[in-house]
Amino acid sequence: MKRPVRVGAGEKLVLTANRLLDGTIVWRDRLGQWQPVIGAAEKLDAEGVSDVLDLAQARAQADGVVGVYEVAVRDVDPPEPVTVRERIRAHGPTVHPEFAVETVQ
């Protein structure tokens, strides 16, 4: 059973997934494309996210992504995830830069 995402004042939702080809964390933009940077993510209102999420989940295999779900973010540019887990996913690993894997932007 899916746990609902709570959206507080000054917050929106964005969609995230992992790219099947290489596992890269991706964010859905306003054109329905999956981008490797959270700054490209479309910010959605809680009331309107359900239809967009359903469509993204239905198209996941065709779009080459897996594990599509919504993330609460602060409504700033670029969006800033509310939870620590999603901040790590958005901004990279919590390891020394020498050991980090660079993603192609």
Side-chain angles (χ1 to χ4, degrees):
M1 183 167 131
K2 185 180 168 311
R3 197 170 32 140
V5 174
R6 294 185 195 181
V7 180
E11 296 176 357
K12 298 277 189 173
L13 294 167
V14 297
L15 300 186
T16 188
N18 289 84
R19 198 164 44 203
L20 280 171
L21 183 63
D22 58 9
T24 297
I25 296 158
V26 290
W27 308 88
R28 188 178 183 279
D29 67 17
R30 67 182 56 233
L31 299 175
Q33 303 297 310
W34 294 96
Q35 306 297 332
V37 291
I38 193 169
E42 176 184 19
K43 293 184 279 186
L44 304 160
D45 292 320
E47 301 80 33
V49 75
S50 182
D51 291 338
V52 177
L53 178 60
D54 290 345
L55 177 63
Q57 289 173 333
R59 289 197 41 82
Q61 186 173 4
D63 288 345
V65 297
V66 65
V68 178
Y69 66 96
E70 70 270 41
V71 173
V73 295
R74 289 185 185 85
D75 190 10
V76 295
D77 288 316
E80 183 61 28
V82 174
T83 66
V84 171
R85 177 186 191 277
E86 297 304 335
R87 283 195 297 271
I88 292 169
R89 288 183 78 245
H91 301 299
T94 56
V95 298
H96 189 279
E98 179 182 347
F99 303 109
V101 176
E102 291 189 31
T103 58
V104 176
Q105 304 284 331

